[in-house]
Amino acid sequence: MNVLFIAAECAPFAKTGGLADVVGALPRYLRALGHDVIVVMPLYRSIDAARHNLRWFHGPMGVWMGNAEEWCAVHTTTNRGTPVFFIESQKYFDRWGLYHDEHFNDYADNPRRFGFLTRAALQLCKDIGFKPDVVHAHDWHTALAPAYLKIWHWNDPLLGSAASVLTIHNIAYQGKYPAHHLDYLGLQWANFTPDKFEDHGAINFLKGGIAYADLVTTVSPTYARETRTPEGGYGLAPYLNAKGEDYIGILNGCDYEVWNPETDPLIPARYSADDLGGKTICKRALQARMNLEVADDIPVIGIVSRFVEQKGLHLLAQCIEGIVQNMRVQFAILGSGEPGLEHFFGTLPARYPGRIGSYIGYNEELAHWIEAGADFFLMPSIYEPCGLNQMYSLRYGTLPIVRATGGLEDTVMQYDERTGEGTGFKFYEPSAHAIYYTVGWAVSTYYDRPHHMQRLIRSAMAQDFSWERSARAYEAAYARAIENKRRWDRQHAL
Ligand code: ADP
């Protein structure tokens, strides 16, 4: 199959979250299965053209929007074998941030910027003669692709037969904008109806994408179920339910080339399930680096997270002091985000010296040290579409303590106290109370059932969430989308 990925982010060029990891990794594994995949994304100012070997490829390229023609140029490079094309537009992408300015104000023309990206990607296919069997759109930014295919390109020799797949990486971000953008986006007022783009008088990109896509996916089976409910769907549950079997969850893969304790060059010592000696060295080094008391027999709980409401850290803030006052345990915390949480977790070490260590900021190396050196890894997320850190933790033998939501529910197996089976500790209620007692359960397992700890660690390290598996699931999803598109074509034949 020929597959066109259109996305606002792709690692390592531009990344703010899990979306970039998926777009950066999945094409390579699809190519390994024999498919021809290309990626189209914006040329943001932050992308280092020299470092990534970008070269001019095509242009000037005219792109018809609904009521204007816009011009751009196209640059290219390869990312682990996959051709990546960058849309250069001074007007839209030569800016400080990806989505917002330095004061964290979203750019007012975001709907135009990403509507333009989407149409430019389709135009590029025509200009270079790439005939996609599947157009794979990601999140609200490029969710108009399925609509453009069916509204504008249904009759096009090159794009007319392309099926569309839309992947939702986080349903909380839908792209809702004032209706007046409709003309520029070229979506036609006849489609400004509640079953398509209209949402309480505004345009909703993701909603429109769901309506037009031949298949919709999200990043874990449990998140697919949760988003079909009123509280998990952020208003879109009825439309996802209407897709029936054409809305599915596919777990993201984990990049074991980067996250593997046997080969990780960033950690103080390497180790495997057969020889955990290196993990003890990593633990001591972590304790020293984070100003914790260096002791092999005190469990360390690691946290690496964006400090946002979604991650449940405001609940942890309510109980972490009770935990360190009542349990013999340490915390190693890395993260950044909301100022209130940064202040709280940033000042805790001064109040609990030797017991709590924290680093406020983004630090790739420290993230690896925490995964390797901690005994447990805490993710009390309110919701978590897939989550990567718990998969890393499993591979590093660092037992996840998680709220059983989204991908956390799908990747962590509950500890069975009778048999020692499982890979981590799960709780269900999003509350400080639940965090407190589940951490207590993990800590008591550490002290009282060391033989179970050993068994849990071995099971955790044996888990396999490789991209090969995910890529095969996407391959099946594409085949299904193509079938759906053929049916649509028959129904809409003139
Ligand atoms: P999300 O995409 O919602 O942030 P994921 O668990 O899917 O959550 O992915 C988070 C990724 O970002 C992981 O690779 C994690 O290690 C990394 N990360 C988050 N915060 C930091 C930080 N402060 N320093 C280093 N890495 C971080």
Side-chain angles (χ1 to χ4, degrees):
M1 289 182 260
N2 287 346
V3 186
L4 164 69
F5 272 55
I6 318 175
E9 300 183 21
C10 173
F13 310 108
K15 167 171 169 173
T16 71
L19 162 65
D21 291 319
V22 175
V23 178
L26 177 56
R28 161 162 177 238
Y29 293 91
L30 287 167
R31 290 181 77 86
L33 293 174
H35 305 295
D36 193 1
V37 189
I38 65 171
V39 177
V40 178
M41 66 177 294
L43 183 63
Y44 298 111
R45 183 187 293 170
S46 57
I47 294 174
D48 185 337
R51 181 162 80 92
H52 295 297
N53 270 320
L54 262 63
R55 55 192 171 76
W56 186 90
F57 176 74
H58 177 60
M61 180 169 86
V63 179
W64 275 104
M65 300 306 294
N67 54 11
E69 188 174 30
E70 304 273 8
W71 294 88
C72 60
V74 185
H75 299 251
T76 190
T77 188
T78 53
N79 179 31
R80 298 155 125 190
T82 302
V84 181
F85 297 96
F86 299 83
I87 303 298
E88 178 191 9
S89 160
Q90 212 171 15
K91 174 174 165 188
Y92 284 145
F93 301 126
D94 187 14
R95 300 188 188 182
W96 182 86
L98 271 54
Y99 310 121
H100 53 68
D101 64 21
E102 55 269 55
H103 308 296
F104 292 87
N105 294 314
D106 276 352
Y107 296 126
D109 59 353
N110 272 346
R112 292 171 181 247
R113 298 172 72 223
F114 293 105
F116 169 72
L117 167 72
T118 304
R119 293 203 74 160
L122 298 175
Q123 183 63 44
L124 179 64
C125 288
K126 298 218 268 187
D127 283 17
I128 66 176
F130 183 82
K131 189 176 193 305
D133 298 292
V134 175
V135 173
H136 192 163
H138 295 266
D139 274 352
W140 74 264
H141 321 99
T142 57
L144 297 185
Y148 285 143
L149 287 171
K150 286 186 174 151
I151 296 172
W152 289 113
H153 301 294
W154 59 274
N155 206 12
D156 186 303
L158 200 95
L159 296 171
S161 61
S164 58
V165 173
L166 170 66
T167 295
I168 300 171
H169 298 262
N170 189 336
I171 202 161
Y173 303 96
Q174 299 180 2
K176 287 192 214 181
Y177 296 100
H180 65 77
H181 290 294
L182 209 72
D183 287 327
Y184 177 83
L185 293 170
L187 294 173
Q188 300 180 336
W189 286 96
N191 297 315
F192 193 59
T193 52
D195 60 323
K196 293 180 181 149
F197 288 103
E198 196 268 347
D199 182 353
H200 296 82
I203 307 175
N204 185 323
F205 275 51
L206 197 62
K207 186 179 180 186
I210 292 167
Y212 282 94
D214 296 304
L215 190 90
V216 181
T217 77
T218 188
V219 291
S220 69
T222 294
Y223 194 60
R225 275 196 301 281
E226 289 169 349
T227 47
R228 286 174 181 267
T229 66
E231 65 273 29
Y234 286 69
L236 297 183
Y239 308 98
L240 292 171
N241 282 316
K243 298 302 272 192
E245 309 257 286
D246 292 325
Y247 176 49
I248 58 171
I250 299 175
L251 262 185
N252 286 342
C254 174
D255 191 345
Y256 291 124
E257 281 173 27
V258 177
W259 296 93
N260 178 352
E262 294 180 39
T263 54
D264 190 339
L266 296 176
I267 58 178
R270 272 138 297 279
Y271 59 91
S272 66
D274 298 329
D275 179 5
L276 287 165
K279 188 162 175 67
T280 307
I281 297 172
C282 290
K283 176 169 174 176
R284 288 180 197 148
L286 177 68
Q287 286 171 320
R289 179 168 176 171
M290 301 214 72
N291 296 320
L292 299 167
E293 181 190 337
V294 178
D296 292 350
D297 66 339
I298 304 179
V300 178
I301 299 176
I303 294 173
V304 179
S305 184
R306 291 185 293 124
F307 289 174
V308 292
E309 174 100 29
Q310 177 200 334
K311 301 295 180 181
L313 296 174
H314 54 294
L315 299 175
L316 176 65
Q318 293 167 27
C319 64
I320 190 169
E321 296 185 69
I323 291 172
V324 290
Q325 284 160 10
N326 296 321
M327 305 175 203
R328 190 163 173 267
V329 66
Q330 300 176 344
F331 279 90
I333 303 170
L334 165 63
S336 62
E338 284 170 17
L341 288 170
E342 286 193 356
H343 177 77
F344 178 79
F345 287 110
T347 53
L348 268 181
R351 280 185 284 141
Y352 298 93
R355 308 291 305 282
I356 300 179
S358 73
Y359 179 97
I360 306 303
Y362 194 93
N363 189 323
E364 197 83 30
E365 185 194 65
L366 185 55
H368 284 249
W369 278 47
I370 291 175
E371 289 291 1
D375 297 287
F376 300 102
F377 195 93
L378 180 58
M379 295 178 78
S381 303
I382 306 300
Y383 70 93
E384 192 67 75
C386 180
L388 290 169
N389 277 303
Q390 82 281 10
M391 297 198 232
Y392 305 154
S393 301
L394 290 167
R395 183 48 62 104
Y396 283 72
T398 303
L399 302 178
I401 304 170
V402 303
R403 186 168 108 75
T405 180
L408 299 176
E409 165 74 341
D410 294 333
T411 53
V412 178
M413 284 185 309
Q414 184 71 298
Y415 166 48
D416 183 336
E417 217 175 282
R418 290 161 309 171
T419 62
E421 282 165 9
T423 60
F425 303 82
K426 297 205 269 197
F427 58 96
Y428 289 82
E429 192 186 272
S431 72
H433 179 88
I435 296 174
Y436 181 94
Y437 283 101
T438 311
V439 167
W441 184 31
V443 170
S444 67
T445 303
Y446 182 93
Y447 286 117
D448 301 339
R449 292 178 294 281
H451 55 297
H452 279 182
M453 280 296 291
Q454 291 314 312
R455 177 148 187 206
L456 286 163
I457 290 169
R458 264 201 307 280
S459 307
M461 294 181 80
Q463 298 299 305
D464 180 16
F465 299 104
S466 63
W467 268 112
E468 283 86 0
R469 236 171 50 160
S470 306
R472 272 193 293 276
Y474 275 103
E475 186 178 49
Y478 292 163
R480 188 183 171 96
I482 290 171
E483 254 174 62
N484 289 345
K485 177 61 169 30
R486 293 212 177 111
R487 194 171 322 117
W488 188 91
D489 285 343
R490 283 196 298 276
Q491 283 163 0
H492 292 78
L494 290 176

